[in-house]
Amino acid sequence: MGARRPDRRNFLKGSAAVAGGLTLGAVEPALGQTTASGGFIKGNEELTLYGERSRHVTSLRMAHPPAGRPSPDAYGKYFHIAAPLQDSVGTITPSSLHFVGTTRGAFIPDIDPQEHRLMIHGMVDRPLTFTMEDLKRLPSETRPHFIECAGNRSRPQYKTVQETHGMTSCAEWTGVPLSLLLKEAGVKDSAPWIVCEGEEEVKGASSIPMEKAMDDCLVAYGMNGEAVRPQNGFPLRLLVPGFEGIFNTKYLRRIKVVDRYYMTYNDYGHLNRRDDEVGAALGMLIGPKSVITFPSGGQQLPERGFYEVSGLAWSGGGAISRVEISTDGGRRWEDAEIQGTAHPMSHTRFSYQWTWDGQETELLSRSTDDTGQVQPTRAQIAEFFGERVDDESFRVRGMDNSVQPWRIASDGSVHNAIT
Amino acid sequence: MRLLRFLALFMFLGSTAVAQSPTYGVGSTPSEEEIRAWDIAISPTGEELPPGRGTSQEGELVYRRQCASCHGVDGEGAGAPRLVKRDESQVDPWDYGRILPIRSPYATGVWDYINRGMPVNREGTLTADQVYALTAYLLYLNDVISEDDVLDDQNLAKIEMPNRDNFADLPDWKRGMQRFPGYPF
């Protein structure tokens, strides 16, 4: 490290000059052998065993929706908790900051993994029960996937990106492909659906099409390099990549292979009127979506000049193939840079180099996935359905994947521009 | 020749056996009792329903003791979700609102949800008879059945709910498909 230090110093000086916005104070300690500004963090046994972030890093989740139902409530139940996307970097949401959604407010079950079982039965040749130890013997896969709540919908009164988009997160999940477990049990040819059920008190269950179950679903015990966290389904959860959040059954304990759509309580939430097939379809799969996380609502640009605009894009249809940025309210669009590899059904980080001239403007992003679906503006959605976007009754159908506009005021303050 | 035929037959049987047998052999076989104890998701056919019966009058008594404090004395007006339809004059059952005992396409779904999720904080404490009785009471309050009807594991799935054939199917999912045909977003 010592030999490389001058390089880093030169780099920092150079980038500070380019960015202009960085304070020189951050560079100074590298110029000589000085003590750290705040003294030292004294070692203790706990920090040896389990690390902590800096006390200067204060990024936190919040109960969602804002001013809505509290989490925890008076009983100690969690409802919805949103991730602080405004502070996010890269694509992985740290497990401690991953969003949490529950069907109706729930206690977090305190499950002993030694006692936990996953049963597969129904239309199979061999009903099977797996312990956690059994599952960890089987071939595993590790993949990044986002999960997003159906309620992740921007509203005019929401101020920050945590409020407008914080009910999505992305983790690296490790587990056994569901197809492997189903083949091990031997699915009978005619079985078109599975019902997946959790162990929490409401025993939430969802019907999932067999075609999807055999494609890319994952029975996950690992999350971001450690065991799945209790709020996210410890010790075992289902990943149904790209489907609405509620399908991703937490505390997974039972999979029944069945002959029809079961219309469980979770399914009932997806019900649409007979003539509204569009609503049913758009509520099941998540469309191409993106949001700029910096600069975003509630943040403040200190001065005109250079900024890297940064954000997240994702789609339930596949991998993100393109992200475009507009810095003039949607008149001109330019390609953003996709950072690293865009994985299927994963948050994908994009960036765009922008010099702000100090004038009021609007920043927008839109994504395209590798099936060719393009993220729409609210106006485009309204036009498609022959509705008026300024009509008070206008509502984006199904999962809202509309373009999020951020207004940069001339004083550098950033505001939600959804009206 | 005979040996060849025998070998061919042996290989055929052998390959069939391989195709049907598990690859990894990990996991154990649950007993019938274990499966029955966990098999609580109720099909629209009602095949998983446990034996039992109940009437709306019996259900009203259970409701008053165990449900009314959250859902209101007559299924409305308290903190928990409303359980009676909003407007009796509606022709289209969808206009009654998102109210489980009237919107659910199947009475089995009402039974299932009470059984798996109620009462809040005391889930799993109702007997099967109490769940049949509560289902009968809620269906009676919503004019689906009459006051004296007895619901049991044989007739619950046969009840004609107003939305029985009145909901949109989910799309037939295929890898790489668009969310909805013709919808570019």
Side-chain angles (χ1 to χ4, degrees):
Chain A
M1 186 68 203
R4 300 189 60 86
R5 235 186 143 114
D7 292 335
R8 177 165 169 75
R9 188 166 58 209
N10 287 336
F11 168 75
L12 281 173
K13 282 166 79 176
S15 60
V18 171
L22 283 180
T23 61
L24 282 171
V27 180
E28 272 172 354
L31 295 172
Q33 197 171 29
T34 59
T35 56
S37 61
F40 298 97
I41 298 169
K42 199 177 169 199
N44 63 49
E45 185 71 15
E46 278 148 40
L47 288 181
T48 299
L49 298 174
Y50 203 85
E52 263 181 22
R53 63 184 181 178
S54 163
R55 65 190 172 91
H56 301 290
V57 176
T58 55
S59 186
L60 294 171
R61 297 188 300 193
M62 63 180 288
H64 199 270
R69 190 167 163 186
S71 281
D73 66 10
Y75 298 102
K77 293 190 174 218
Y78 293 97
F79 183 49
H80 287 174
I81 305 173
L85 299 185
Q86 65 277 11
D87 304 319
S88 67
V89 293
T91 58
I92 295 296
T93 314
S95 299
S96 300
L97 296 177
H98 197 285
F99 96 89
V100 177
T102 63
T103 306
R104 61 160 202 208
F107 293 120
I108 306 303
D110 187 13
I111 298 172
D112 178 352
Q114 299 278 355
E115 301 295 320
H116 191 73
R117 299 288 182 273
L118 170 64
M119 183 191 288
I120 300 181
H121 71 112
M123 297 171 69
V124 295
D125 297 330
R126 293 170 297 280
L128 283 173
T129 301
F130 297 96
T131 63
M132 293 302 296
E133 199 177 33
D134 291 337
L135 292 170
K136 288 177 183 177
R137 286 171 57 188
L138 291 168
S140 62
E141 287 184 15
T142 295
R143 302 185 228 132
H145 284 306
F146 75 85
I147 303 175
E148 183 178 15
C149 175
N152 205 27
R153 178 177 285 268
S154 186
R155 296 173 197 278
Q157 68 269 29
Y158 292 175
K159 293 186 165 52
T160 67
V161 69
Q162 183 165 19
E163 296 176 353
T164 61
H165 289 75
M167 294 299 286
T168 182
S169 290
C170 184
E172 184 193 74
W173 301 96
T174 299
V176 185
L178 176 56
S179 59
L180 186 155
L181 298 177
L182 290 171
K183 283 174 192 159
E184 203 68 358
V187 173
K188 295 194 190 299
D189 286 343
S190 56
W193 291 89
I194 60 171
V195 174
C196 297
E197 194 167 83
E199 187 165 326
E200 76 279 24
E201 74 276 20
V202 66
K203 301 197 170 31
S206 286
S207 300
I208 294 165
M210 182 62 77
E211 180 100 4
K212 180 67 175 175
M214 295 303 267
D215 190 57
D216 61 352
C217 293
L218 200 59
V219 175
Y221 46 76
M223 176 185 188
N224 293 337
E226 60 177 3
V228 173
R229 293 285 178 94
Q231 290 179 321
N232 302 107
F234 180 85
L236 198 63
R237 80 169 306 166
L238 186 65
L239 268 287
V240 186
F243 277 42
E244 191 233 302
I246 201 169
F247 288 97
N248 297 261
T249 313
K250 295 196 265 192
Y251 321 110
L252 183 67
R253 75 161 194 178
R254 187 167 76 96
I255 294 168
K256 184 173 187 182
V257 178
V258 297
D259 63 348
R260 70 191 66 213
Y261 187 61
Y262 251 43
M263 193 56 70
T264 66
Y265 184 75
N266 289 359
D267 297 330
Y268 165 78
H270 286 107
L271 267 192
N272 288 75
R273 203 189 289 246
R274 176 83 246 174
D275 57 9
D276 187 16
E277 286 180 347
V278 176
L282 301 188
M284 180 173 89
L285 275 171
I286 294 166
K289 195 164 173 178
S290 70
V291 67
I292 294 168
T293 56
F294 176 78
S296 61
Q299 292 177 334
Q300 174 74 44
L301 300 183
E303 59 182 7
R304 66 183 65 188
F306 178 82
Y307 295 91
E308 181 184 73
V309 175
S310 177
L312 292 167
W314 63 97
S315 173
I320 291 296
S321 58
R322 184 183 194 191
V323 180
E324 296 158 280
I325 296 276
S326 174
T327 58
D328 60 4
R331 278 181 288 281
R332 288 185 311 122
W333 292 87
E334 287 187 48
D335 281 343
E337 185 185 344
I338 289 177
Q339 297 191 349
T341 304
H343 294 280
M345 282 73 85
S346 170
H347 280 185
T348 300
R349 177 64 62 175
F350 64 84
S351 59
Y352 178 82
Q353 302 197 354
W354 178 53
T355 301
W356 182 45
D357 61 6
Q359 302 295 309
E360 174 161 325
T361 190
E362 256 181 43
L363 296 188
L364 298 80
S365 65
R366 75 174 173 215
S367 66
T368 303
D369 68 24
D370 60 7
T371 70
Q373 299 181 120
V374 181
Q375 182 182 10
T377 61
R378 290 165 57 82
Q380 284 175 308
I381 295 169
E383 192 187 343
F384 183 89
F385 291 113
E387 296 166 6
R388 291 179 55 87
V389 71
D390 50 3
D391 198 328
E392 244 178 64
S393 66
F394 172 73
R395 188 174 188 277
V396 176
R397 297 193 201 192
M399 297 275 306
D400 185 343
N401 66 328
S402 61
V403 165
Q404 171 67 43
W406 298 118
R407 181 171 61 84
I408 314 291
S410 55
D411 65 359
S413 58
V414 188
H415 308 270
N416 181 3
I418 292 259
T419 51
Chain B
M1 195 62 194
R2 208 192 230 168
L3 180 66
L4 262 178
R5 240 184 249 159
F6 175 76
L7 270 178
L9 179 68
F10 178 79
M11 285 167 74
F12 171 74
L13 288 175
S15 64
T16 312
V18 168
Q20 289 182 344
S21 64
T23 306
Y24 303 99
V26 174
S28 54
T29 305
S31 69
E32 288 295 322
E33 292 70 39
E34 285 171 314
I35 293 175
R36 210 172 301 127
W38 279 22
D39 195 12
I40 60 163
I42 311 297
S43 165
T45 66
E47 63 196 62
E48 295 92 348
L49 284 169
R53 61 169 296 288
T55 64
S56 72
Q57 292 99 331
E58 291 159 357
E60 185 173 2
L61 297 177
V62 182
Y63 183 90
R64 283 189 190 153
R65 281 196 305 274
Q66 304 226 37
C67 319
S69 61
C70 293
H71 286 282
V73 177
D74 299 310
E76 61 177 307
R82 182 187 173 109
L83 297 172
V84 287
K85 57 188 182 184
R86 272 181 213 289
D87 182 352
E88 310 240 334
S89 68
Q90 297 294 343
V91 179
D92 186 334
W94 279 84
D95 295 331
Y96 290 134
R98 188 168 161 165
I99 293 158
L100 182 68
I102 188 70
R103 178 168 285 191
S104 177
Y106 307 106
T108 49
V110 182
W111 196 99
D112 179 297
Y113 188 64
I114 297 170
N115 184 56
R116 76 172 60 234
M118 289 293 146
V120 170
N121 294 348
R122 299 194 307 282
E123 298 87 353
T125 59
L126 296 171
T127 65
D129 283 348
Q130 285 176 319
V131 180
Y132 283 106
L134 284 169
T135 305
Y137 180 57
L138 296 180
L139 295 183
Y140 161 66
L141 284 184
N142 284 288
D143 300 325
V144 178
I145 63 172
S146 50
E147 193 169 7
D148 301 324
D149 286 347
V150 180
L151 291 189
D152 61 30
D153 48 302
Q154 297 306 311
N155 67 14
L156 183 69
K158 298 190 180 106
I159 290 171
E160 286 280 333
M161 296 294 284
N163 276 328
R164 182 155 192 131
D165 298 309
N166 194 25
F167 65 94
D169 292 326
L170 290 181
D172 195 11
W173 185 87
K174 295 272 181 281
R175 171 185 270 266
M177 73 180 223
Q178 288 192 314
R179 289 206 289 166
F180 188 77
Y183 187 67
F185 309 129

